[in-house]
Amino acid sequence: MKIESCNFMAYRDAYKSIEWTIEQRKQKSLVSRWRKLLVNLNMRHWMLSALFIICFLFLNDAHAQIRCEDLFKEIPRPATATITEKVAKNSFITDRTLWDYTHDLHPDFTKALERMTPESHWIDMGAGKAKALIEFMKSRDSEARPYTTAVAFKIDRWFGMPNFEGKLQTHEGIFEHQPTHQWRKADVITDVMGVFSYTTDLGTTLQKNFDLLKVNGELYISTSAYGSQFRVNGETLSLEVFLASIPGLKVEGKWGTIKITKEQENIKIPVLELERYKDESPPIRLFKVHLD
Ligand SMILES: C[S@@+](CC[C@H](N)C(=O)[O-])C[C@H]1O[C@@H](n2cnc3c(N)ncnc32)[C@H](O)[C@@H]1O
């Protein structure tokens, strides 16, 4: 009896130990499954993170490339001059005064104004509100007033333009398309951040201005330092250096205060092809020079 009960206990213990082992194994396999799962999840997490970072870098790079492209928007050479939104909407300064002109332009401009007789002619290229021209006309007695011309895509004035008994002409629209051969020849031409700074067709603008200017006439330009660049035989030139290379032009000063004297008839401007254009105030443009 004693032996039987002893055997029974031994069986029960053995059974329990087997049960325990099975349970242990089950638990172990569950733990290992969970561990595996966690490892897998971790791996996935890392892989997903890496993928996300790669995508982010790639998209960011693509975006950066797009922005770089935007910086220098490629504009095919326009068949004719075009007007940007800024010019169409007058989204820039348009009310510089005569004082501003005399301080911004080359110092000789003041002397050029003083020399003006009633037969002289001053053209302001890109006149905005034509404040400088109007102030100048008001500063003179009517019989001492010279001829003046305001050029602007759209004259930016609420109350219309005075004309000083026909001595102040106004030409609105795209300058490059104007019949300038019919205009009175000029003694002085000014351009303060005007057509020269904004045009997409600088070749035509320059040619028309030098055709309008009398021999010994003076052209005063105030523009930005990097707004006009010229590519000639692999070299990049500034506006003043490019202009100085054209026979018949005497160039003094630089970008903000350029003075050009026309020393002979028939100035020939080479064909300028607009290669790059960034729409700023004023725009940054790169022109390829086509030498004959
Ligand atoms: C920044 S505003 C300067 C206005 C003025 N010079 C001043 O300093 O207050 C530029 C002027 O150039 C004119 N403009 C620019 N491109 C032109 C174009 N292609 N033809 C005619 N006018 C143009 C605009 O209409 C505007 O009057």
Side-chain angles (χ1 to χ4, degrees), residues 112-160:
L113 285 188
E114 284 163 8
R115 282 198 304 271
M116 291 216 139
T117 69
E119 286 309 304
S120 307
H121 184 200
W122 168 20
I123 302 177
D124 190 19
M125 296 284 303
K129 288 183 163 54
K131 232 176 167 175
L133 281 176
I134 294 168
E135 285 179 7
F136 174 68
M137 292 301 259
K138 284 184 177 167
S139 75
R140 290 221 170 171
D141 294 336
S142 58
E143 59 284 359
R145 283 176 189 146
Y147 292 94
T148 48
T149 298
V151 173
F153 178 67
K154 193 169 63 186
I155 290 283
D156 188 19
R157 289 181 72 86
W158 279 71
F159 303 109

Side-chain angles (χ1 to χ4, degrees), residues 23-282:
E23 194 55 35
Q24 279 289 94
R25 279 203 184 143
K26 263 190 196 167
Q27 275 181 14
K28 266 192 188 167
S29 79
L30 255 177
V31 167
S32 74
R33 260 194 230 160
W34 273 106
R35 193 178 287 156
K36 264 188 195 162
L37 192 73
L38 280 174
V39 168
N40 277 351
L41 273 177
N42 236 0
M43 285 289 287
R44 267 182 219 160
H45 171 82
W46 281 112
M47 280 165 72
L48 275 172
S49 301
L51 198 69
F52 178 76
I53 290 167
I54 289 167
C55 282
F56 175 77
L57 288 176
F58 175 77
L59 287 175
N60 208 32
D61 193 42
H63 189 59
Q65 277 174 16
I66 289 164
R67 270 187 293 171
C68 278
E69 277 309 298
D70 283 351
L71 283 184
F72 257 143
K73 222 190 299 175
E74 299 288 344
I75 292 192
R77 185 174 177 222
T80 176
T82 51
I83 289 294
T84 60
E85 211 180 306
K86 280 197 180 70
V87 177
K89 292 186 174 167
N90 269 324
S91 311
F92 35 46
I93 299 170
T94 55
D95 59 357
R96 288 187 183 86
T97 61
L98 186 59
W99 188 91
D100 292 326
Y101 271 47
T102 53
H103 283 79
D104 289 355
L105 292 166
H106 190 281
D108 287 356
F109 171 61
T110 314
K111 294 178 216 153
L113 285 188
E114 284 163 8
R115 282 198 304 271
M116 291 216 139
T117 69
E119 286 309 304
S120 307
H121 184 200
W122 168 20
I123 302 177
D124 190 19
M125 296 284 303
K129 288 183 163 54
K131 232 176 167 175
L133 281 176
I134 294 168
E135 285 179 7
F136 174 68
M137 292 301 259
K138 284 184 177 167
S139 75
R140 290 221 170 171
D141 294 336
S142 58
E143 59 284 359
R145 283 176 189 146
Y147 292 94
T148 48
T149 298
V151 173
F153 178 67
K154 193 169 63 186
I155 290 283
D156 188 19
R157 289 181 72 86
W158 279 71
F159 303 109
M161 273 291 277
N163 82 348
F164 298 94
E165 292 113 20
K167 283 235 149 160
L168 172 51
Q169 297 272 310
T170 302
H171 293 286
E172 287 183 282
I174 300 179
F175 168 75
E176 298 86 326
H177 299 172
Q178 304 274 337
T180 42
H181 57 277
Q182 295 168 2
W183 295 10
R184 177 184 283 272
K185 296 270 181 185
D187 300 87
V188 173
I189 301 179
T190 49
D191 190 294
V192 179
M193 298 288 174
V195 183
F196 281 78
S197 296
Y198 284 87
T199 183
T200 53
D201 187 358
L202 188 55
T204 303
T205 299
L206 284 166
Q207 190 62 63
K208 277 175 165 282
N209 273 272
F210 289 115
D211 291 346
L212 272 169
L213 203 58
K214 294 177 186 168
V215 173
N216 293 322
E218 293 165 357
L219 166 60
Y220 293 92
I221 305 171
S222 184
T223 188
S224 63
Y226 303 106
S228 324
Q229 295 170 54
F230 301 82
R231 217 148 51 79
V232 193
N233 299 329
E235 251 191 290
T236 306
L237 310 179
S238 62
L239 178 59
E240 57 273 16
V241 174
F242 166 67
L243 288 172
S245 72
I246 295 167
L249 299 181
K250 181 180 163 202
V251 181
E252 296 162 75
K254 55 183 183 178
W255 53 276
T257 56
I258 302 176
K259 175 189 176 189
I260 308 145
T261 311
K262 176 175 166 176
E263 295 188 317
Q264 65 179 53
E265 276 297 357
N266 300 326
I267 302 295
K268 172 113 181 52
I269 303 295
V271 171
L272 300 180
E273 180 184 351
L274 182 65
E275 279 202 326
R276 303 224 150 172
Y277 187 94
K278 182 186 171 190
D279 197 11
E280 295 272 308
S281 292

